[in-house]
């Protein structure tokens, strides 16, 4: 089976912490032209206002907290600004609690914390848009809290070697979106999971289109897409391959396995392709529905041994 590849950021080279402009601090607020030595200082300069922080090429062993405002953090060259191994507040490389946040072209890697939920991005308020970014070798890529009205949009990004289910802690996942209003994930890649689900969400509405979920090198992984409490919306145009090393291979997509909070009668799942690594056949279910909601499952290209759906 062909697997969609995200051409941007898949083979990013590690860049030294030297900036592109010798002697210039690496974090520049575009609106003022003032540069700062840390991302935290640049975000503090924007405060409750609106601004863009341009990040020079480099590997940064630091983290930052956004306390307010409408902020964009953008790599000067996508894939060359790397936040490596340092979480803030025992949570993540970026802890976001402003009005709105946009992250573009940033790499997050090697984030781990004592509670097992070390994330590239921890979102605690506002809306979030992530594009052209890479999350790898961490416990979670993106993790959010629960709050009213939040919207998360992810596009053209890669989530690699994320998740875990060990140390007698609750599992972590590649992307875990809480009880927000909506989630859109498009043109992105999930692969080489290390446990948990690739994409888990409790949002009332989803748009999950044009992505690849490649579990061929996964380790003790679970579902590709987990709609934990049900959702309306669309799941289409995705490619999914299930690997051999699974903690739970029973389903690819689940609807409300942790209790129905949202109706899934408006959920459409069609135009996807799903199967197994070569030489593997299983009686997995494509869509496991834990409710009586009439999910619309249209035409999908599935491996012969796979069941289309079942009620659990």
């Amino acid at each position: 089976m062909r697997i969609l590849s995200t051409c941007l950021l898949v083979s990013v080279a590690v860049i030294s912490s030297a900036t592109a402009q010798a002697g210039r601090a690496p974090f520049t607020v575009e609106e003022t032209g003032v540069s700062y030595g840390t991302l935290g200082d640049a975000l503090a300069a924007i405060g409750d206002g609106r601004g863009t922080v341009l990040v020079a090429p480099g590997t940064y062993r630091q983290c930052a907290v956004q306390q307010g405002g409408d902020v964009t953090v953008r790599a000067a060259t996508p894939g060359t600004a790397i936040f490596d191994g340092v979480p803030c507040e025992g949570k993540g490389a970026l802890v976001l609690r402003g009005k709105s946040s946009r992250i573009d072209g940033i790499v997050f890697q090697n984030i781990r914390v004592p509670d097992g939920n070390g994330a590239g991005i921890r979102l605690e308020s506002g809306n979030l848009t992530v594009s052209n970014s890479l999350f790898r070798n961490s416990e979670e890529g993106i993790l959010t809290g629960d709050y009213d009205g939040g919207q998360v949009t992810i596009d053209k990004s890669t989530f690699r070697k994320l998740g875990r289910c060990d140390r007698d802690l609750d599992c972590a996942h590649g992307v875990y979106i809480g009880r927000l209003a909506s989630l859109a994930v498009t043109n992105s890649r999930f692969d080489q999971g290390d446990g948990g689900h690739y994409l888990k969400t409790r949002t009332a509405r989803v748009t999950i289109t044009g992505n690849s979920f490649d579990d061929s090198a996964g380790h003790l992984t679970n579902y590709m897409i987990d709609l934990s409490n049900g959702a309306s919306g669309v799941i289409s145009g995705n490619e999914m391959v299930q690997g051999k090393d699974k903690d739970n291979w029973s389903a690819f997509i689940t609807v409300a396995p942790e209790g129905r909070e949202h109706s899934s009668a408006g959920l459409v799942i069609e135009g996807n392709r799903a199967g197994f690594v070569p030489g593997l056949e299983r009686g997995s279910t494509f869509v496991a529905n834990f409710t009586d909601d009439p999910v619309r499952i249209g035409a999908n290209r599935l491996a012969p041994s796979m069941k289309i759906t079942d009620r659990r």
Side-chain angles (χ1 to χ4, degrees):
M1 176 179 292
R2 180 181 66 86
I3 285 291
L4 169 68
S5 63
T6 303
C7 61
L8 191 59
L9 301 173
V10 169
S11 57
V12 176
V14 175
I15 311 294
S16 73
S17 59
T19 62
Q21 295 175 304
R24 183 182 179 92
F27 302 98
T28 301
V29 177
E30 286 192 319
E31 289 76 10
T32 64
V34 178
S35 296
Y36 300 86
T38 71
L39 178 57
D41 286 344
L43 293 177
I46 295 171
D48 287 331
R50 174 178 293 180
T52 296
V53 180
L54 189 66
V55 185
T59 297
Y60 302 101
R61 291 177 176 86
Q62 59 175 270
C63 60
V65 179
Q66 175 198 10
Q67 298 288 8
D70 183 344
V71 172
T72 297
V73 179
R74 186 175 74 242
T77 303
T80 66
I82 302 170
F83 288 84
D84 182 15
V86 178
C88 280
E89 300 180 346
K91 296 175 180 179
L94 287 185
V95 180
L96 306 176
R97 53 175 76 105
K99 299 174 185 176
S100 184
S101 313
R102 284 166 297 280
I103 310 301
D104 186 4
I106 306 295
V107 178
F108 301 91
Q109 64 186 29
N110 303 321
I111 308 298
R112 293 173 177 81
V113 299
D115 74 1
N117 286 308
I121 295 174
R122 177 76 75 94
L123 177 68
E124 297 187 346
S125 67
N127 298 329
L128 172 65
T129 299
V130 175
S131 57
N132 304 308
S133 294
L134 170 62
F135 301 77
R136 63 184 175 193
N137 301 321
S138 301
E139 290 165 328
E140 306 213 43
I142 300 171
L143 173 62
T144 84
D146 298 334
Y147 53 89
D148 293 337
Q151 300 178 23
V152 174
T153 301
I154 300 167
D155 185 48
K156 296 184 179 71
S157 295
T158 298
F159 299 84
R160 173 164 296 152
K161 292 188 71 65
L162 303 169
R164 42 142 296 279
C165 283
D166 58 6
R167 291 177 279 162
D168 295 322
L169 300 170
D170 289 342
C171 290
H173 312 280
V175 171
Y176 184 0
I177 308 301
R179 291 176 172 85
L180 308 186
S182 66
L183 168 67
V185 184
T186 56
N187 307 309
S188 295
R189 181 176 175 87
F190 298 77
D191 62 23
Q192 302 178 48
D194 280 331
H197 310 310
Y198 282 93
L199 175 58
K200 177 183 177 75
T201 179
R202 299 183 187 275
T203 56
R205 184 166 185 83
V206 298
T207 301
I208 304 171
T209 61
N211 307 290
S212 72
F213 296 83
D214 182 1
D215 186 46
S216 57
H219 175 65
L220 294 175
T221 52
N222 286 277
Y223 308 133
M224 306 289 188
I225 299 171
D226 177 49
L227 308 180
S228 301
N229 303 118
S232 62
V234 60
I235 299 174
S236 69
N238 303 288
E239 295 197 12
M240 306 178 187
V241 171
Q242 189 182 96
K244 296 180 180 180
D245 188 0
K246 302 290 291 181
D247 180 59
N248 183 347
W249 52 262
S250 67
F252 282 61
I253 300 169
T254 57
V255 178
E258 297 181 32
R260 182 185 183 277
E261 297 181 11
H262 315 296
S263 172
S264 300
L267 179 63
V268 177
I269 303 174
E270 63 183 10
N272 303 284
R273 189 178 181 189
F276 306 100
V277 293
L280 179 66
E281 290 188 7
R282 285 182 175 141
S284 299
T285 298
F286 182 52
V287 180
N289 191 348
F290 290 72
T291 77
D292 292 322
D293 293 339
V295 175
R296 176 183 160 190
I297 303 176
N300 298 280
R301 297 179 63 185
L302 308 180
S305 64
M306 193 184 307
K307 292 182 288 185
I308 297 174
T309 188
D310 59 26
R311 170 68 167 88
R312 299 191 180 180

